[in-house]
Amino acid sequence: MKYCTRCLMPDTKFGLTFDRDGVCAACRTHERKKNALDGIDWQERGDAFEILVDEARAVRAPYYDALVPVSGGKDSLTQLHRLLERGLRVLAMNVDYGIKTDVGRKNLELVPRMGANLFIFRPDLRLHRRLVRIGFEDYGDPDLMSHVLLYAAPLHTALRFSIPLVLLGENAAFEYGGDQRVAEHDGVNERWFLHCVTNSGVDAPAISRRYGIPMENLRMYEYPGELAGSATRVRFMGSYFRWDSEEHLRIARTHGFETLPGSSEGTYRTYVGIDEKINRIHQYMKVLKLGYGRATDHACEDIRAGRLTREQARPLVRRHDLEPLSSYYVDDFLEFIGMDRERFDEVMESYRNRDVWHQGADGNWEIRGHLED
């Protein structure tokens, strides 16, 4: 693998491009965010956010001025904070599709205390457990359809309640160097949804056709086509405020946000991905398929923000990216989807990328050229 010459992101990341100097698109985006001369004018973006808020309030919608999808994590609590402090009536929607952790439940309870109504949407688990297993076995991603539901269900809800504004977090294609065709979008439309949410064209209609699941059972997993002709606007908070995990953590803590006493399995951070368990399986499968995991994602963010040097980040990535899955995550996941450990190990191993991994004479697997320039 080859790595960005500024951060530690490898060229196996889907959609990531590198320039002639070997610098990845995410690092170039960060340069734009802090370059006052020819970069992003954050004062102008902040003013645009105030206009967006005023316009949502002026609609005088019957129930709510805005909807915020919330996990109980630091980012969604910050989205909520920025609307509530401006006096909007907010519906916070949690899509509870998996296995909540104790700290995740506690942090979600902060939402109504902050002043928003909290709607918890729990999908039909007979169906959703099947979709999680399909994603795991057939596509190498247990979060495949959960991720789609996380985006689609709040959009359907906003339309049904005639809510004028949906505030999401960041445009991942812009922040992390994904698909450049949609990296400059300031909000969600069908093009962005198909490129950034569905995985390799695996959307609700595709699942319906392949597995014989009636589409009427998958409507909440489908992009709502009527959104384009509606008064509901879907925007990213990251289009108006500089995306900064540490700043979001500071804001969330003012409302009582709890972190872990030690690092989270798979990364050195104590405050990311702590609310739900299945995502840990998703992140480890990314290591098997692409040779990097959450620790790399977080280290690259911290390198760009100047909180770590590239050399300081290397040992953190080596230690945490390859940290094996513990029974704390695996046992609950197996119970959730009704699978035994032998089949789980078989599926995991089937997704190991032999172009990325090398098995030594001792039988141990190693990533080829791991963190070498």
Side-chain angles (χ1 to χ4, degrees), residues 189-229:
N189 57 20
E190 188 168 14
R191 179 182 175 87
W192 187 91
F193 187 91
L194 292 175
H195 281 292
C196 295
V197 179
T198 60
N199 187 344
S200 302
V202 184
D203 56 5
I207 291 292
S208 176
R209 289 191 298 270
R210 180 171 179 182
Y211 298 96
I213 301 172
M215 267 307 299
E216 54 261 34
N217 296 342
L218 293 170
R219 292 302 179 197
M220 292 297 277
Y221 296 81
E222 185 179 27
Y223 180 82
E226 65 268 35
L227 184 64

Side-chain angles (χ1 to χ4, degrees), residues 8 263-270 292-303 307-323 370-371:
L8 293 174
S263 61
S264 177
E265 185 178 298
T267 186
Y268 57 91
R269 286 184 175 175
T270 64
Y292 78 97
R294 271 202 315 179
T296 294
D297 290 326
H298 299 158
C300 289
E301 284 185 55
D302 286 337
I303 291 169
R307 291 187 284 264
L308 286 175
T309 66
R310 207 165 178 266
E311 291 310 308
Q312 288 171 332
R314 285 177 189 270
L316 291 173
V317 170
R318 287 193 181 100
R319 175 184 172 187
H320 294 283
D321 259 1
L322 305 183
E323 194 172 359
H370 194 210
L371 298 181

Side-chain angles (χ1 to χ4, degrees), residues 53-354:
V53 166
D54 289 342
E55 290 176 345
R57 187 187 292 112
V59 171
R60 302 185 66 83
Y63 300 103
Y64 303 101
D65 302 312
L67 182 148
V68 176
V70 295
S71 64
K74 62 178 180 20
D75 299 329
S76 58
L77 291 182
T78 298
Q79 291 155 229
L80 192 60
H81 166 88
R82 284 179 168 153
L83 293 178
L84 290 174
E85 71 173 352
R86 289 165 172 82
L88 268 62
R89 299 168 299 155
V90 182
L91 176 63
M93 181 173 176
N94 173 251
V95 179
D96 183 5
Y97 61 85
I99 309 167
K100 286 284 187 189
T101 62
D102 289 339
V103 70
R105 292 189 189 95
K106 288 181 181 179
N107 286 331
L108 191 61
E109 290 173 1
L110 298 174
V111 170
R113 297 177 194 172
M114 290 172 64
N117 287 356
L118 175 61
F119 169 36
I120 298 177
F121 176 78
R122 184 77 159 154
D124 169 7
L125 287 182
R126 292 174 301 175
L127 170 62
H128 196 73
R129 283 186 170 117
R130 183 184 176 192
L131 293 175
V132 172
R133 183 160 180 158
I134 284 171
F136 176 62
E137 291 186 304
D138 294 353
Y139 297 97
D141 182 3
D143 278 342
L144 181 76
M145 294 306 292
S146 298
H147 191 206
V148 173
L149 185 66
L150 282 175
Y151 280 92
L155 301 184
H156 285 283
T157 302
L159 288 170
R160 299 302 170 263
F161 278 95
S162 300
I163 301 174
L165 174 63
V166 178
L167 188 65
L168 304 179
E170 78 275 43
N171 181 346
F174 176 75
E175 293 291 338
Y176 311 122
D179 195 321
Q180 294 304 296
R181 290 171 291 183
V182 292
E184 297 298 328
H185 283 36
D186 64 355
V188 171
N189 57 20
E190 188 168 14
R191 179 182 175 87
W192 187 91
F193 187 91
L194 292 175
H195 281 292
C196 295
V197 179
T198 60
N199 187 344
S200 302
V202 184
D203 56 5
I207 291 292
S208 176
R209 289 191 298 270
R210 180 171 179 182
Y211 298 96
I213 301 172
M215 267 307 299
E216 54 261 34
N217 296 342
L218 293 170
R219 292 302 179 197
M220 292 297 277
Y221 296 81
E222 185 179 27
Y223 180 82
E226 65 268 35
L227 184 64
S230 76
T232 297
R233 291 189 287 177
V234 187
R235 296 292 183 266
F236 298 113
M237 182 177 71
S239 296
Y240 303 96
F241 299 91
R242 193 189 305 269
W243 194 258
D244 187 329
S245 293
E246 293 293 327
E247 173 64 8
H248 298 171
L249 176 61
R250 183 194 67 77
I251 291 173
R253 277 179 166 161
T254 67
H255 296 286
F257 179 74
E258 293 186 19
T259 62
L260 298 179
S263 61
S264 177
E265 185 178 298
T267 186
Y268 57 91
R269 286 184 175 175
T270 64
Y271 55 85
V272 179
I274 61 176
D275 52 283
E276 195 275 331
K277 290 189 176 183
I278 296 178
N279 186 254
R280 169 64 179 139
I281 312 297
H282 163 88
Q283 293 292 342
Y284 194 77
M285 293 193 87
K286 183 168 75 174
V287 176
L288 293 178
K289 293 188 290 184
L290 305 178
Y292 78 97
R294 271 202 315 179
T296 294
D297 290 326
H298 299 158
C300 289
E301 284 185 55
D302 286 337
I303 291 169
R304 293 173 196 132
R307 291 187 284 264
L308 286 175
T309 66
R310 207 165 178 266
E311 291 310 308
Q312 288 171 332
R314 285 177 189 270
L316 291 173
V317 170
R318 287 193 181 100
R319 175 184 172 187
H320 294 283
D321 259 1
L322 305 183
E323 194 172 359
L325 287 169
S326 69
S327 60
Y328 173 74
Y329 295 97
V330 175
D331 289 353
D332 283 350
F333 177 68
L334 294 180
E335 182 180 355
F336 186 77
I337 64 172
M339 179 179 287
D340 60 38
R341 184 60 191 250
E342 183 179 2
R343 174 58 181 160
F344 173 82
D345 291 339
E346 181 183 84
V347 173
M348 294 293 284
E349 191 59 34
S350 72
Y351 283 100
R352 188 187 298 275
N353 185 345
R354 267 55 173 184

